[in-house]
Amino acid sequence: MQDQINTIMDETLAAIADSGDLKGLDDIRVAALGKKGAVTGLMKQLGGLDPDARREVGQELNRVKDAVQSAIDARKEELERAELNLRLEVERVDVSLPPRPEALGSVHPVSQVMDEIIAIFCEMGFAVAEGPDIEDDWLNFGALNIPDEHPARQEHDTFYLPASGEEGRPVLRTHTSPVQIRHMLSHQPPLRIIAPGRTYRSDSDMTHTPMFHQVEGLVIDETTHMGHLKGCLRDFVEAFFQVDNVPMRFRPSYFPFTAPSMEIDIGCSFEGGELKIGEGDDWLEILGSGMVHPNVLRHGGIDPDKYQGFAFGMGIDRVAMLKYGIPDLRSFFDADLRWLRHYGFRPLDVPTLYGGLAR
Ligand code: PHE
């Protein structure tokens, strides 16, 4: 029997070392250790031996079983590693190859316009700041001088989230203005930032979607005044729409977080259903703005007797529609590939002021 055991052991180990794939390896395991396997067959014969021999041969067979099993495990690992290496080799991607024009995706108009806005304001010395989409009640409203019972809270059609504990109720931010407070609390003036991002209000029609995009602007220094606000936004509008001397109207308005407050309209015409910016007798509202309210500065940890400045908020989707003649806001978020191919931008044309903002 010992001879038989040795032969099975040698043959099995040789077969394992020779095996070239996982399936073959498993066949070898079944042939040796399976229910009808060679080693299992010898185990069954143990009953016919006398007690001493039974113990000895039994132990020997167990050693064989263990040796075969660990040889299989080791070979399996080798084969798996080889298979992985082969796949890595075959599926190699050369990331340094130039892109294939026919396989390029396109940049969504919202991303494009965000990049254009960032390019313009960065040229003026603004930095980009960010805040989270989920804000607490205080930063979205209270710190911005919007008290609990203020009608602006209802106007904003806020999405409230379940309260998580002691803190104020979390909300999906209804505007990018809370980034003003976050930035004031974490930086010392002078401040000069824009904050583009997603905003949310429970509203849906041709010109409103529950999620939309805004860009906030904030400038704080010792002598920043309304003339700076007007000059800055005029430069922006002319660079963005690429039109000189755009007629602009600064209309008195009201926001709890600015005083005085203004809405800004730009001159345009709608002749023959086509919108032209910078000419004609019609006006389009594009921005809310004003001088930062002293209470807002205080909530941001800034002394209103020493510092002052301006803020503005603009709908990104809205100016994207105006600039690129896109009629329905809801189509922005349909993820329709045909729409994207039509309105999208070439990914390698990064907007810059010197390189031209867009096609
Ligand atoms: N947060 C205002 C809105 O969403 C816009 C705004 C921002 C107005 C900053 C004034 C100053 O309507």
Side-chain angles (χ1 to χ4, degrees):
M1 195 157 178
Q2 189 59 49
D3 283 351
Q4 234 178 323
I5 294 178
N6 287 343
T7 318
I8 291 175
M9 172 94 153
D10 292 347
E11 282 176 8
T12 308
L13 291 182
I16 291 170
D18 264 5
S19 69
D21 59 76
L22 294 172
K23 170 79 181 68
L25 190 61
D26 199 55
D27 291 344
I28 297 167
R29 185 191 58 80
V30 172
L33 309 179
K35 265 197 197 121
K36 293 180 183 150
V39 179
T40 318
L42 291 179
M43 286 284 202
K44 284 182 187 149
Q45 294 174 26
L46 285 177
L49 299 177
D50 60 65
D52 277 351
R54 193 188 307 157
R55 187 165 356 94
E56 210 171 293
V57 178
Q59 281 172 355
E60 175 72 9
L61 282 175
N62 278 329
R63 268 195 297 278
V64 171
K65 253 169 97 173
D66 289 348
V68 168
Q69 189 60 55
S70 42
I72 287 177
D73 291 345
R75 182 70 188 145
K76 191 170 168 204
E77 214 182 292
E78 265 172 38
L79 289 174
E80 280 170 349
R81 201 171 324 118
E83 193 176 277
L84 178 64
N85 284 338
L86 184 72
R87 269 189 60 196
L88 288 174
E89 191 55 44
V90 170
E91 296 171 20
R92 182 193 290 271
V93 173
D94 183 352
V95 292
S96 68
L97 283 175
R100 285 177 296 147
E102 74 283 5
L104 278 188
S106 60
V107 173
H108 194 284
V110 168
S111 307
Q112 168 75 18
V113 164
M114 257 194 211
D115 289 346
E116 293 177 14
I117 293 170
I118 290 171
I120 296 168
F121 280 105
C122 287
E123 199 87 354
M124 295 190 217
F126 282 70
V128 175
E130 278 183 317
D133 290 15
I134 298 175
E135 263 305 356
D136 73 67
D137 200 87
W138 167 252
L139 291 174
N140 193 79
F141 294 119
L144 289 161
N145 206 32
I146 312 176
D148 276 347
E149 66 293 352
H150 198 282
R153 293 218 175 190
Q154 274 89 61
E155 272 167 39
H156 277 207
D157 297 311
T158 313
F159 286 113
Y160 285 95
L161 297 165
S164 54
E166 307 288 290
E167 301 294 305
R169 199 142 58 125
V171 300
L172 290 179
R173 65 177 178 187
T174 58
H175 49 179
T176 41
S177 301
V179 185
Q180 287 188 35
I181 307 290
R182 288 180 173 273
H183 195 74
M184 289 183 209
L185 289 172
S186 56
H187 294 79
Q188 293 298 318
L191 308 177
R192 207 190 282 150
I193 54 134
I194 55 165
R198 278 191 272 267
T199 47
Y200 305 83
R201 293 181 200 178
S202 180
D203 208 350
S204 183
D205 58 36
M206 271 273 282
T207 52
H208 297 89
T209 48
M211 188 279 296
F212 57 107
H213 300 82
Q214 284 192 341
V215 58
E216 194 77 8
L218 177 70
V219 176
I220 304 287
D221 207 337
E222 293 183 22
T223 57
T224 302
H225 55 69
M226 202 129 99
H228 295 132
L229 183 166
K230 294 175 75 173
C232 169
L233 292 176
R234 164 170 295 285
D235 282 354
F236 166 74
V237 165
E238 296 191 346
F240 181 74
F241 290 107
Q242 316 227 288
V243 186
D244 288 334
N245 302 315
V246 180
M248 290 178 82
R249 189 163 73 170
F250 295 79
R251 219 170 358 92
S253 182
Y254 175 77
F255 299 103
F257 32 92
T258 46
S261 303
M262 295 171 297
E263 280 175 308
I264 300 179
D265 303 335
I266 53 174
C268 64
S269 71
F270 287 105
E271 255 152 59
E274 203 196 329
L275 173 73
K276 281 223 171 71
I277 305 282
E279 53 188 70
D281 312 319
D282 277 311
W283 294 99
L284 263 174
E285 182 203 317
I286 59 159
L287 273 156
S289 68
M291 300 304 292
V292 179
H293 196 289
N295 286 346
V296 174
L297 290 172
R298 261 181 224 113
H299 291 142
I302 290 176
D303 178 3
D305 292 326
K306 182 158 184 225
Y307 291 104
Q308 58 183 34
F310 65 85
F312 59 86
M314 182 170 67
I316 292 179
D317 318 87
R318 184 170 163 76
V319 294
M321 289 168 77
L322 293 176
K323 181 168 178 180
Y324 294 112
I326 308 171
D328 188 341
L329 175 61
R330 289 169 298 192
S331 64
F332 275 57
F333 310 115
D334 282 345
D336 181 339
L337 266 182
R338 287 164 309 171
W339 184 89
L340 250 181
R341 284 195 192 107
H342 181 75
Y343 287 111
F345 293 82
R346 291 170 47 94
L348 299 174
D349 291 347
V350 178
T352 58
L353 278 183
Y354 50 88
L357 275 182
R359 55 181 169 204

